[in-house]
Amino acid sequence: MYLIYEQRAVQSHFEGGSATARPTTTTPQDAAAVPSRPRPPQSRLQALLSWPFSLVWAILSYISRFVTRPAIASTAQRQDARSVADRFLREFEAKYGEQHLDFFQGGYSQCLEIARRELRLLLVILQSDEHDDTDEFCRNTVASDELIEYVRQNNVLVWGGNVREAEAFQALTFTSPPKKVGSTLQATAYPFMAIIGLQVPNPPSTTAPKMTVMDRLEGLLTPASVIRRFDSVIERYGATLNRLRLERDQRDKERQLREEQDRAYQDSLRADQEKERQAREKREAAARAEEEAQRAEEERRIQAMKREQYIQWVCRHLPEEPSADYEGEVTKLSFRLADGERVIRKFRGDESLDSLYKFVEAYPVLKSHADVSGATEPEEYHHTYSFTIHSPFPRTVYHADHERKLSDEKSLWPTATLIVDNNDDAEE
């Protein structure tokens, strides 16, 4: 009785307690796979005579399972679910061949989660090597072309386990504390199969749908019998699963639409930000260029002022033209200026070649008779002449040399004609 109560409590906990578990039914076609039952009087008599033994056996089984549960859980924790699945598959194929249902290569809980997430039916197969029907079940049912094709067409997940493995007794539900697979699925005879799927509570409530055992198949069944049971499950629960799939697809479409809208918004935002960045960089570049132009213009203005100040200072300090009574060496030079004007001036022999350049530079101011009495030499200024002085023939260029005297240049004595040419870069 303790065993019966425990099984009922486990079944209620796994199925959410929302509905009474549907009893396993056997169709007329399945009759061949189910042993015949004794007549009611005989059955009652046997039950009356055997109940003391059944009670003792149930109590001993309950105590044994309670004592061995920690050891089984510890063993299961040490075992890798995928390794167990690989071993189950290798042993199955070694005994029954490579043609069989496509077993999921992983733990039961992982397979159950995939079935829940993808709204697929899950076929759980538990077998025991100690049962005589195991070989025939594996060869004729699990390896059946008809059942393999049916499962494939209906996109059914298949998980298989041997009850001797700890994985078959591992904590494989989403509830806490976890339940054993065998106990949860209420496997009382082997071979055992269970069809599991996502089910909405009845009546509907705020509780989320949960994975529920929709049918249990025990004993030796033919592939046709299994398919009929599957068809019955699909007939009962197919509409609900289809509705859940439609709702999931709708949610996926809405999520995809939101993601596409978010991507489009982010792309548009990035494009706008890029345009704004480029516009900002252009504005900043234009501002920098304008600021640089203003600085350059200001520098040109300052340099022009300093140049003008320097020329006025040169006019003030330019040596006077030697008079007629000057007894030293004097040369008379004729300048043809860049604008075509001709100017004649006398220079002393001890003056430098630079004095020629100073005279040409200062001539426009001297010609205008501007007042340069207060002119001072500008600070932080380096004067550069924008012209070159040379003789016409033979062509000889005279540079603005502070050290070389006019008396050293024999071609300038006692008279010479000089040409003033503006430099190209200076004109530009």
Side-chain angles (χ1 to χ4, degrees):
M1 293 178 64
Y2 291 96
L3 178 62
I4 296 174
Y5 293 151
E6 184 194 29
Q7 290 180 345
R8 290 180 178 176
V10 171
Q11 177 184 0
S12 176
H13 186 71
F14 183 82
E15 298 185 352
S18 58
T20 303
R22 180 169 180 171
T24 303
T25 57
T26 304
T27 61
Q29 293 83 350
D30 303 335
V34 180
S36 59
R37 298 183 178 181
R39 291 189 296 272
Q42 182 181 0
S43 175
R44 287 194 295 270
L45 180 59
Q46 289 179 349
L48 182 63
L49 295 176
S50 63
W51 76 265
F53 302 99
S54 299
L55 177 60
V56 173
W57 176 257
I59 295 174
L60 292 176
S61 299
Y62 179 80
I63 295 175
S64 175
R65 289 195 301 158
F66 180 79
V67 171
T68 59
R69 181 176 301 171
I72 294 175
S74 177
T75 303
Q77 291 176 357
R78 292 194 300 267
Q79 291 182 337
D80 178 67
R82 184 172 181 85
S83 299
V84 174
D86 290 341
R87 182 167 60 251
F88 173 80
L89 180 62
R90 290 195 306 269
E91 293 178 354
F92 186 96
E93 291 181 347
K95 293 182 65 176
Y96 307 113
E98 297 182 357
Q99 178 177 317
H100 52 76
L101 294 172
D102 186 13
F103 293 110
F104 179 80
Q105 291 300 284
Y108 176 80
S109 58
Q110 180 186 5
C111 186
L112 196 65
E113 171 60 19
I114 293 176
R116 184 197 65 81
R117 186 174 64 250
E118 298 181 0
L119 296 174
R120 299 167 63 180
L121 291 177
L122 170 61
L123 175 62
V124 177
I125 299 176
L126 295 180
Q127 68 178 51
S128 173
D129 296 337
E130 299 176 358
H131 287 75
D132 297 335
D133 294 333
T134 297
D135 287 346
E136 184 177 353
F137 171 76
C138 293
R139 296 183 188 280
N140 298 332
T141 302
V142 179
S144 166
D145 291 335
E146 182 183 9
L147 184 58
I148 292 173
E149 181 63 19
Y150 181 88
V151 167
R152 185 189 64 80
Q153 290 182 354
N154 288 273
N155 197 26
V156 178
L157 276 172
V158 180
W159 184 87
N162 195 311
V163 294
R164 78 168 187 271
E165 296 285 357
E167 174 66 16
F169 294 92
Q170 179 68 331
L172 299 174
T173 66
F174 298 114
T175 57
S176 180
K179 306 298 180 182
K180 298 175 183 178
V181 177
S183 298
T184 302
L185 302 180
Q186 295 191 20
T188 59
Y190 298 94
F192 173 83
M193 291 185 287
I195 303 174
I196 302 175
L198 195 65
Q199 181 63 15
V200 177
N202 186 22
S205 64
T206 57
T207 306
K210 60 172 55 179
M211 298 301 288
T212 304
V213 177
M214 297 177 171
D215 198 359
R216 297 176 176 82
L217 296 79
E218 297 179 330
L220 180 61
L221 294 178
T222 63
S225 301
V226 176
I227 291 175
R228 283 194 295 271
R229 299 287 283 271
F230 254 110
D231 288 337
S232 177
V233 167
I234 294 175
E235 182 179 355
R236 295 198 309 269
Y237 300 103
T240 301
L241 288 175
N242 289 335
R243 178 174 60 81
L244 293 175
R245 293 188 185 103
L246 291 176
E247 293 175 355
R248 178 200 60 187
D249 294 342
Q250 182 64 28
R251 289 193 301 271
D252 291 344
K253 290 180 180 178
E254 292 175 354
R255 184 185 68 255
Q256 182 179 2
L257 179 60
R258 288 194 301 270
E259 291 175 352
E260 292 176 353
Q261 291 174 343
D262 290 342
R263 284 195 297 268
Y265 171 75
Q266 293 298 329
D267 292 342
S268 176
L269 180 60
R270 283 192 294 268
D272 293 341
Q273 291 174 343
E274 179 63 18
K275 291 180 180 178
E276 176 60 26
R277 184 189 64 81
Q278 294 178 356
R280 183 175 64 256
E281 290 180 351
K282 289 182 179 179
R283 291 194 300 268
E284 292 174 353
R288 288 193 300 269
E290 183 179 358
E291 183 179 353
E292 184 65 25
Q294 290 177 353
R295 284 198 302 267
E297 181 62 28
E298 180 65 16
E299 182 64 22
R300 284 193 295 270
R301 186 185 67 80
I302 294 174
Q303 291 298 318
M305 291 177 59
K306 289 184 176 182
R307 181 184 182 85
E308 186 66 25
Q309 181 182 351
Y310 175 79
I311 293 174
Q312 291 179 0
W313 179 80
V314 168
C315 291
R316 181 181 177 185
H317 293 83
L318 189 68
E320 294 184 358
E321 186 177 6
S323 61
D325 58 353
Y326 179 72
E327 297 180 355
E329 294 181 321
V330 175
T331 182
K332 185 177 181 180
L333 302 177
S334 174
F335 295 91
R336 190 183 71 183
L337 303 179
D339 59 359
E341 184 180 356
R342 289 186 178 273
V343 180
I344 299 175
R345 190 181 190 277
K346 296 177 182 179
F347 292 87
R348 298 192 311 271
D350 60 354
E351 295 185 54
S352 67
L353 289 176
D354 183 62
S355 63
L356 303 181
Y357 280 84
K358 282 184 171 63
F359 168 74
V360 174
E361 192 75 277
Y363 178 73
V365 179
L366 296 173
K367 182 180 178 180
S368 66
H369 304 287
D371 183 13
V372 296
S373 58
T376 59
E377 185 177 9
E379 297 179 355
E380 298 181 358
Y381 175 75
H382 175 72
H383 187 75
T384 302
Y385 295 106
S386 61
F387 55 88
T388 302
I389 299 176
H390 65 89
S391 60
F393 185 83
R395 180 182 174 85
T396 303
V397 177
Y398 303 97
H399 297 287
D401 193 336
H402 295 273
E403 303 296 334
R404 193 170 181 78
K405 306 298 183 181
L406 293 179
S407 58
D408 297 333
E409 299 291 338
K410 301 303 181 181
S411 60
L412 298 179
W413 294 88
T415 183
T417 298
L418 299 176
I419 299 175
V420 179
D421 287 338
N422 286 333
N423 298 333
D424 293 339
D425 53 349
E427 291 178 356
E428 184 178 344

